[in-house]
Structures are given as C-alpha cells and as structure tokens.
Amino acid sequence: MMKMKKESDLIPPHYRIVNISREIEQKGIKIIHMELGDPELDTDKRIIDTMYEAALKGHTHYGDARGLPEFRDAVSRYLNRRLKLDLTRDNVCVVPGSKSAIYMSLKTLADGPAKVGVVEPTWGIYYSFIRDLGYDAIPIRLKYENKWQVREEDLKDIGKLDFIAVINPSNPTGVVWDRESIELILEKATRDDAYLIADEIYFELIYSNKKFISFMHYNYEKTVGLYSFSKTFAMTGFRIGWIASYDKDIINRIARGYQLLLTNVPEFIQYAGIKATDLDDVIERNRGIYMERTYFLVNGLKRLGFEFVEPEAGFYIFSKVPNPYNDSYQFALDLLHKARVAIAPGTSFGDYPGFIRFTTALKIETLKEALKNIEEFMKS
Amino acid sequence: MMKMKKESDLIPPHYRIVNISREIEQKGIKIIHMELGDPELDTDKRIIDTMYEAALKGHTHYGDARGLPEFRDAVSRYLNRRLKLDLTRDNVCVVPGSKSAIYMSLKTLADGPAKVGVVEPTWGIYYSFIRDLGYDAIPIRLKYENKWQVREEDLKDIGKLDFIAVINPSNPTGVVWDRESIELILEKATRDDAYLIADEIYFELIYSNKKFISFMHYNYEKTVGLYSFSKTFAMTGFRIGWIASYDKDIINRIARGYQLLLTNVPEFIQYAGIKATDLDDVIERNRGIYMERTYFLVNGLKRLGFEFVEPEAGFYIFSKVPNPYNDSYQFALDLLHKARVAIAPGTSFGDYPGFIRFTTALKIETLKEALKNIEEFMKS
C-alpha cells in the first residue's frame, strides 16, 4: 500500500526537476525542457480530425475497458504488419499511457509480493511502482563497457524472479538490443516462469541499420508487450497506448483492473489511435525528424566533451556526468538554475549517479540554444 | 495490495451484469442498459468544438497533473458561482473521472491501513477500492424507513474512522440530504478528525425544491469534494472531473499520485471542461431532460407495483426487488436474459440484496420499451 506522506521516496528525481522547473517558469523565466520525453512536434491534423468526427458522432459514452473492437482490430493489424506477428483483437487492450500499463500489469498479474527483475538503466517509474506495491526490485545492471547490451555476467547471482521488466529500444540509452540480449532475457524468464514486461514503444524510431527484434516474435506466453502512440505519432498528451499478449487471460485481468479504476480510455481518443495506425507516412516523417535532432545533439554534446554510447533509436542520450561533478542530481539542479536547461539525473534510471539523460526530440533551434547555454555553464 | 487473481471479489456485481450483457450483445441481441449511469444524451457541440480547437492549437503534450491553470481557474470559478464558495485554483485538481479520484484520495491521504466509514446504500466501487487497499470498510447503514436520510441511530456503535465516504445527492437512492444528515456526518468527521470524501456530482440535477447543501459550505479542512462533467453535461466518455479541498496539501498529494500513475488528463479534454463551465443553458436543458425521464420511469415502475423512495435528484431509482424474488442478483440476471434489460443488483451498493437500481437517463422511447419488457417478464 502506498504511503503517500512519503511520496518524495516514490517520485523519480526527474519529476522533482520537472516540478522545480515549473516553479521557475511561473516567475516568467524560460526553461528548455530536456528532462521529459515530450517531442517538440505537432500531432498530424488527420489524427485530430478523426478524433473530432468520432466525438461528433456520439463516441462520448462509457465503453469497454479493453477498448473498442475497431481499436483492438486496428492495433493488432498494425503490429502484425509492422512486426510480422499474428495477433487478434483478443490479444490487445487499450491503455491510458504505458506508465499505467506497467503499474496495472505488476498489480494485477502478481499473486502476492513479487520479485521484479529490472534491467537497468531503465525508466525509474518501475522503482516507484514496485515500492508502491510492496514488491522487491532486483536490479539487473547492464554495463557501459558492454554498450548497454545484456551479457551473461549481468544475470549472474540473480535469484528467481516473478517479473522481468525491459525496455528495447532502450530508454534512457537509445541502444537497440542484439539477439544475444533478447535471448538471455527470454531464457531467464522461461527458466523462472516469470512475466516479461517488454516496453517496445520506440521500435518505430530506429536510426541505425540494426534490425529490431520484438519479444513478441518469441511465443513466450507470459510476455506483455507495451506500445504507444505518444512518441511515434507525437501524441504524448492523448494518453493512449496498448498492451499485447498471446495469453488472453493476461489481457482480461489487466482490463478488469482498468475497468475498476478508470472505466475506459475515451473512445474518441481511440479513434485518433485507429487513424494513426494507417499513417505510415507520419511514421517515416517523424522518424526522419527525430533522427536529425538526435544526431544534431549527439554531435553537439560530443563537441562539448560529453561521453556516451551513441544512441541508435528513440530520442535520448545517456551521458556520463562531466567532470568535476560526480552527483547527477546536483549537476541537473545547477544546469537548471544556471543554464535554464532541465535534464534528468541518472538516478531516475536506477543507481546511475554518474549519468544524465538528455531528450533530443526538440527543434534544432531549441537544441542550439540548449547547447549554447550548456557550453557557457561548462566554462563558468 | 490487489490480488487480482480474485478480481471477481473486487468487481461490484453490476459490472458482472455489464460484462454478461456485452457477451449477449455480441450475439446480435439488443440489450437496454439501465445498469450504468450513462445518459442517452449527446454532448453539446460547443464543448466538442472547443476540444477540437485546443487539439489543433497544440494542446497535445504532457502537462501538469493538477491540470492547466486555466482549467483550475474555470472549475473553481464555476463552483464559487453555483455553490457560493470561495475557492482558488490551488483548491482544485483535475481527475480522469470520480472513480479514480476516490481511489487516489483513499490511497494518498492515508498513513497506513485505514478505517473507512461508508454511508450506504452507496456506489459499490468504494468496497472494491477499500478491499484493494487493504483498508477496513465500516458500513454506516441508512434506512428505507428514514427515506435514506442520516439519523443519529445510524451512527451508533460506529468506532473511530479515518475516512467517511458520502454521496449527496445520493447514488443510488436519488435522495437529497437534509441539514440534519449533513451535520450528523460532519460532526462525526470532526470528532474523529477523519477525511470526508463528499461525492457531489449530481448537485446540478435536483428536481424537487429541496435546497442542496454542499459539504464545502462548511469549512471543514479535511473535506475532499468530488465533481464531474459526466452527468450534468452528458460527458461520461470524456473521463474528466475534479476534486476540491480547502487544504492545498490534500490537493497536492492527490495530484502527485496522478502524476506517477497517469501523468495528466489530456489538455484538450480540459479545454472541453473549461467550455462546459460557461454553458448554464446546457445545465438547464439537461436537468429538464433528466427530470422528465426520471418521472416517466418513476410512474411506470409504480404502475408495475415497484416500491421505492421517490428520487429527488440524479437519474436512478432504488427499488425493492419485487416478490417473489429475494435475491437482487438473481432478479437482475433473469431480467437480463428474459427481458433483455440490464439493471444493477442492490449488492452493488452495499448489503442490499432486497433492492435493485434502475438508471432513468434513457430516452422516453427506450424507457417505454424497457417498461414493456419488464411488464411482460413480471407476468410470466
């Protein structure tokens, strides 16, 4: 049970950066937001128009927590087409963002206090949820030296797990996992009969020629795949994504959790999602934009002496904290106050006080301004 | 911690009716839905247009979990105007429906396992959430004989509480509480230093000339008022409401719970809400429509011999189960299968196996058809 009196324990540090930056902004000072994964990009008008038409047609009522049959057909067809899978509507369920999907999966699938293997660096929200639910978090720590891939040594001395939580392509490192990484995790999950929560929300945004291998390609029944419109289609504020699993019972249990808590995702928003699944041109365009921005920031930060494994996907750079800093939170705070640039400290992604995460999905002119501010700060 | 393997324990019986009725509908059989509070009424086009414009303007990004400042200003102004209160934006927080607001209040305000006094008959979701959180539910049972008002005898032998949960105007009875009811509850809350979760979402929909007394009129700091656009403005599917409290710390704690779980309510939906707060003509129109429908069903059910305290507000009728039935769930199941009318069994509202709830917010022709089917079923 959550004891929110201590909610400061639960909130990943980058949310503290978010909240401090909002306070600064209320004084009229401009902050450049590189701490959240919110692209500076508009949602395609065809998506918004479809939402509007659906609302006018009366899709303004309570609905099935699993989602509209039309939505479930659309997203399963989309995954089948893009990832060569074989899903039906019964294998998917709409969710109001992948954050809640992680929470609902952990909450509704466990039989009791669970052991959750968290492959890190990862999105720190996992630790918040695991603590909230009274579960045990077991970090599986990947190494910078291994370019953040999973290697056998990383799984040594990890006891039996009930869940394994992974993100591929990775947030925060931007690395795309190789087959060895995927299969090591799958073997561990199979051995332990553990649920595998596989966040694959960046799979459309790969810039290297490395091939994406979905965990859903393997018919491991206890995999829960997480997908989202937020990044691919610049729809962060719509709060919509979906989960997929070959086990229909998993889908139904998670859906019942949502039915209790939230009833359903607005159906007019589901229609926006349905439209998006048809817009491959938007995927291509947005991938191009994100790639340009990512490489622009990669080159800019390299020039300033930042060290990191170069991202191949998504829109983050997970860099070492520059000397003489050794505390990423202090560095993030100083950068916020002095350079007016908000970034996420490495402690938001596990035990990485020596790292920081930059979001690259901002306009080139915003990135230029951020680099200028950072450069001045570094010299001072 | 929720053990969802037993989620059947958690789900109020009327959701089982919902789910069974969806299965029947998938066979192509038409069901009349009187089990949910979903009005057969369109959302005003001006509200939908405003949402569309906001999305086109780029309100499609992550935002403050408390809501847009403009939204918080609008709903506090609205409550101040309609209920003669004195709230500011810091006293309110947007929520994705009052269901989750109840959950988040219970979850984030407690220091540990809490005792929750539930004034019943009430919306059964309270019991689901209390069980989910590992709290204790203490029923405070009102009496049919007292026309569902709170009387001193109802509070006898109720030990010290951490929360008291009330709904006024009542769901499911449609009764508007008198001053004695309000003040008895407030005295108990004050004595126990308990949080008072006051669901007032039907306050605009009162048909009798009884004056509505908001719990927010009393400056009891630990009151959390729940409000919604769903019923008043026929916006159930938008999933938006708000909470109000004179204690800003309460607002912030609940908001942080939402930040973790859901990030925020889509900002374009908040703009729909802002627009609604200006549309007093819609409130008047919808109140007229709901009143006509409610009295139509009141008269129709009376004619068929159903016995109930006549509702003064909202859109429900909480009736005794007709003879020879004594199990409301069985009656609801039979009515669903034989008369194709879905209703909510009394066990969804506490320990009321002798009662059933009808939703009145359907079109007159739908209500006519429902009455005809029920009449035939009663004769058979």
Side-chain angles (χ1 to χ4, degrees):
Chain A
M1 193 197 47
M2 194 187 263
K3 294 188 190 60
M4 279 300 283
K5 282 244 157 146
K6 293 171 195 125
E7 80 282 344
S8 57
D9 299 348
L10 283 172
I11 293 196
H14 71 287
Y15 281 114
R16 271 182 266 154
I17 298 287
V18 172
N19 293 340
I20 296 168
S21 68
R22 287 217 178 95
E23 281 166 31
I24 296 173
E25 282 172 325
Q26 282 182 3
K27 293 177 198 151
I29 296 164
K30 189 185 144 198
I31 299 293
I32 300 177
H33 287 281
M34 307 183 90
E35 83 281 33
L36 289 176
D38 198 353
E40 219 176 349
L41 195 58
D42 289 335
T43 309
D44 192 271
K45 184 167 183 293
R46 290 167 288 176
I47 293 170
I48 296 172
D49 285 345
T50 304
M51 176 171 80
Y52 177 55
E53 286 152 23
L56 286 181
K57 274 187 199 142
H59 293 290
T60 54
H61 292 273
Y62 294 137
D64 192 324
R66 291 172 301 177
L68 289 158
E70 296 84 343
F71 176 86
R72 294 155 67 210
D73 286 344
V75 296
S76 48
R77 248 193 335 256
Y78 166 81
L79 280 190
N80 292 349
R81 179 164 59 82
R82 305 290 293 187
L83 294 179
K84 309 268 176 288
L85 302 176
D86 190 25
L87 303 164
T88 72
R89 67 166 71 158
D90 293 332
N91 299 120
V92 295
C93 170
V94 69
V95 300
S98 41
K99 223 158 54 163
S100 76
I102 292 165
Y103 186 72
M104 213 45 103
S105 302
L106 291 173
K107 179 164 179 165
T108 61
L109 299 178
D111 287 324
K115 288 190 193 311
V116 185
V118 183
V119 180
E120 56 170 54
T122 191
W123 199 22
I125 201 81
Y126 276 103
Y127 292 104
S128 310
F129 290 155
I130 291 167
R131 224 171 305 162
D132 174 76
L133 291 163
Y135 294 178
D136 285 325
I138 318 287
I140 299 171
R141 291 175 62 76
L142 308 186
K143 296 189 187 67
Y144 182 83
E145 296 71 38
N146 293 335
K147 295 189 185 289
W148 305 119
Q149 295 288 342
V150 186
R151 292 300 171 252
E152 208 158 343
E153 66 204 62
D154 304 325
L155 290 161
K156 235 180 49 185
D157 305 324
I158 304 290
K160 190 174 181 308
L161 301 172
D162 301 301
F163 288 91
I164 304 180
V166 301
I167 309 181
N168 175 45
S170 165
N171 170 9
T173 70
V175 162
V176 177
W177 282 11
D178 57 21
R179 189 168 296 275
E180 187 180 345
S181 294
I182 302 276
E183 297 191 348
L184 279 167
I185 292 295
L186 265 164
E187 279 162 25
K188 172 71 175 156
T190 309
R191 209 158 49 232
D192 291 1
D193 193 32
Y195 290 100
L196 178 57
I197 301 184
D199 174 343
E200 302 189 334
I201 72 169
Y202 298 97
F203 85 84
E204 294 281 18
L205 306 177
I206 297 179
Y207 317 126
S208 70
N209 51 20
K210 199 182 280 178
K211 197 177 145 31
F212 172 70
I213 305 165
S214 170
F215 277 99
M216 298 296 291
H217 282 149
Y218 300 81
N219 276 300
Y220 182 58
E221 282 255 326
K222 293 181 94 171
T223 302
V224 183
L226 306 184
Y227 304 92
S228 175
F229 297 97
S230 292
K231 317 293 180 172
T232 310
F233 296 97
M235 289 170 64
T236 47
F238 286 67
R239 313 309 304 126
I240 182 167
W242 73 98
I243 56 168
S245 175
Y246 289 108
D247 182 348
K248 295 170 192 179
D249 185 49
I250 288 179
I251 296 295
N252 289 333
R253 281 158 74 180
I254 295 172
R256 278 190 290 256
Y258 278 114
Q259 185 181 28
L260 268 181
L261 188 62
L262 291 167
T263 309
N264 65 300
V265 173
E267 293 193 340
F268 49 77
I269 292 183
Q270 295 183 50
Y271 277 98
I274 292 171
K275 184 66 182 176
T277 62
D278 272 337
L279 300 178
D280 288 6
D281 61 308
V282 175
I283 301 176
E284 299 305 317
R285 190 187 63 208
N286 289 354
R287 186 196 296 121
I289 291 170
Y290 292 141
M291 183 165 77
E292 185 195 2
R293 294 175 178 186
T294 298
Y295 285 126
F296 184 85
L297 193 65
V298 161
N299 293 328
L301 288 177
K302 270 188 187 166
R303 195 171 45 80
L304 298 182
F306 286 85
E307 286 175 56
F308 47 86
V309 175
E310 209 167 289
E312 305 167 281
F315 41 62
Y316 306 108
I317 294 170
F318 198 56
S319 166
K320 291 186 178 174
V321 178
N323 289 325
Y325 280 90
N326 46 29
D327 174 349
S328 65
Y329 187 69
Q330 192 56 51
F331 181 78
L333 265 186
D334 286 1
L335 202 67
L336 177 60
H337 287 295
K338 293 178 187 157
R340 298 164 311 283
V341 174
I343 59 167
T347 44
S348 271
F349 308 98
D351 185 18
Y352 293 88
F355 287 83
I356 45 180
R357 189 193 72 173
F358 296 87
T359 295
T360 69
L362 306 179
K363 288 181 183 161
I364 297 289
E365 49 283 22
T366 314
L367 294 177
K368 272 186 193 159
E369 193 184 341
L371 282 166
K372 195 172 130 273
N373 293 5
I374 295 169
E375 184 166 15
E376 279 168 19
F377 167 77
M378 303 278 283
K379 282 183 186 153
S380 69
Chain B
M1 190 199 46
M2 195 188 265
K3 292 186 191 66
M4 279 298 283
K5 284 246 156 145
K6 293 172 196 126
E7 78 282 345
S8 56
D9 299 350
L10 283 172
I11 294 197
H14 70 288
Y15 282 114
R16 272 183 264 154
I17 297 289
V18 172
N19 293 339
I20 296 169
S21 69
R22 288 217 177 95
E23 281 166 32
I24 295 173
E25 282 172 324
Q26 282 181 6
K27 294 177 196 150
I29 295 164
K30 191 186 145 196
I31 299 293
I32 299 176
H33 287 281
M34 308 182 90
E35 83 280 33
L36 290 176
D38 198 352
E40 219 177 350
L41 195 59
D42 289 335
T43 310
D44 192 274
K45 185 167 182 294
R46 290 167 288 177
I47 293 170
I48 296 171
D49 285 346
T50 304
M51 175 170 81
Y52 177 56
E53 286 153 21
L56 286 181
K57 274 185 198 144
H59 293 289
T60 54
H61 292 274
Y62 294 137
D64 192 325
R66 290 171 303 176
L68 289 158
E70 296 83 344
F71 176 86
R72 294 154 68 210
D73 286 344
V75 296
S76 48
R77 248 193 337 255
Y78 166 81
L79 280 191
N80 291 348
R81 179 165 58 81
R82 304 291 292 186
L83 294 179
K84 308 269 175 288
L85 302 175
D86 190 26
L87 303 165
T88 72
R89 67 165 73 158
D90 293 332
N91 300 120
V92 294
C93 170
V94 69
V95 300
S98 41
K99 224 156 58 160
S100 75
I102 292 166
Y103 186 73
M104 212 47 102
S105 303
L106 291 173
K107 179 165 180 163
T108 62
L109 300 178
D111 287 325
K115 288 190 194 308
V116 185
V118 183
V119 180
E120 55 171 51
T122 190
W123 199 22
I125 201 80
Y126 275 102
Y127 292 104
S128 309
F129 291 156
I130 291 166
R131 224 172 304 162
D132 175 75
L133 291 162
Y135 295 177
D136 285 326
I138 318 288
I140 298 171
R141 293 175 60 77
L142 308 186
K143 295 189 187 67
Y144 183 84
E145 296 71 38
N146 292 336
K147 295 189 184 292
W148 306 118
Q149 296 288 343
V150 186
R151 292 299 170 253
E152 209 158 344
E153 66 204 59
D154 304 325
L155 290 161
K156 234 179 49 184
D157 304 324
I158 303 290
K160 189 172 181 307
L161 301 172
D162 301 302
F163 287 91
I164 304 180
V166 301
I167 308 180
N168 175 45
S170 165
N171 171 6
T173 69
V175 162
V176 177
W177 281 10
D178 56 24
R179 189 169 295 278
E180 185 180 347
S181 293
I182 302 274
E183 297 191 348
L184 279 168
I185 291 295
L186 264 164
E187 280 162 24
K188 172 71 177 156
T190 308
R191 208 157 51 231
D192 291 0
D193 192 32
Y195 289 102
L196 178 57
I197 302 184
D199 175 342
E200 301 188 335
I201 71 170
Y202 297 97
F203 85 82
E204 293 282 16
L205 307 177
I206 296 179
Y207 316 127
S208 70
N209 50 20
K210 200 183 278 179
K211 198 177 144 30
F212 171 70
I213 306 165
S214 170
F215 277 99
M216 297 296 291
H217 282 151
Y218 299 81
N219 276 300
Y220 182 59
E221 282 255 327
K222 294 181 95 170
T223 302
V224 183
L226 306 185
Y227 304 92
S228 175
F229 296 97
S230 292
K231 317 292 181 173
T232 310
F233 297 96
M235 290 170 65
T236 47
F238 286 66
R239 312 309 304 126
I240 183 168
W242 72 97
I243 57 168
S245 174
Y246 289 109
D247 182 347
K248 295 170 192 179
D249 185 49
I250 288 179
I251 296 295
N252 289 333
R253 281 158 75 181
I254 294 172
R256 277 191 291 257
Y258 278 114
Q259 185 181 29
L260 268 181
L261 188 62
L262 291 166
T263 308
N264 65 299
V265 173
E267 293 192 342
F268 49 78
I269 292 183
Q270 294 183 50
Y271 277 98
I274 291 171
K275 184 67 184 176
T277 62
D278 273 336
L279 300 178
D280 288 5
D281 61 310
V282 175
I283 302 177
E284 298 305 318
R285 189 187 63 207
N286 289 353
R287 185 195 296 119
I289 291 169
Y290 292 141
M291 182 165 77
E292 184 195 2
R293 294 175 178 186
T294 298
Y295 286 127
F296 184 84
L297 194 64
V298 161
N299 293 329
L301 288 176
K302 270 189 189 165
R303 193 170 46 78
L304 298 183
F306 285 86
E307 286 175 56
F308 47 86
V309 175
E310 209 167 287
E312 305 168 282
F315 40 63
Y316 305 108
I317 295 170
F318 198 56
S319 165
K320 291 187 179 174
V321 178
N323 289 326
Y325 280 90
N326 46 29
D327 174 348
S328 65
Y329 187 67
Q330 193 55 52
F331 181 78
L333 265 186
D334 285 0
L335 202 67
L336 177 60
H337 286 295
K338 293 180 186 158
R340 299 165 308 284
V341 173
I343 59 167
T347 44
S348 270
F349 308 97
D351 186 18
Y352 292 88
F355 287 83
I356 45 180
R357 188 192 74 173
F358 295 88
T359 295
T360 68
L362 305 180
K363 288 180 184 163
I364 298 289
E365 45 293 15
T366 313
L367 294 177
K368 271 185 193 161
E369 193 185 339
L371 282 167
K372 194 172 130 275
N373 293 4
I374 295 168
E375 184 166 17
E376 277 166 21
F377 168 77
M378 304 279 282
K379 281 183 186 154
S380 69

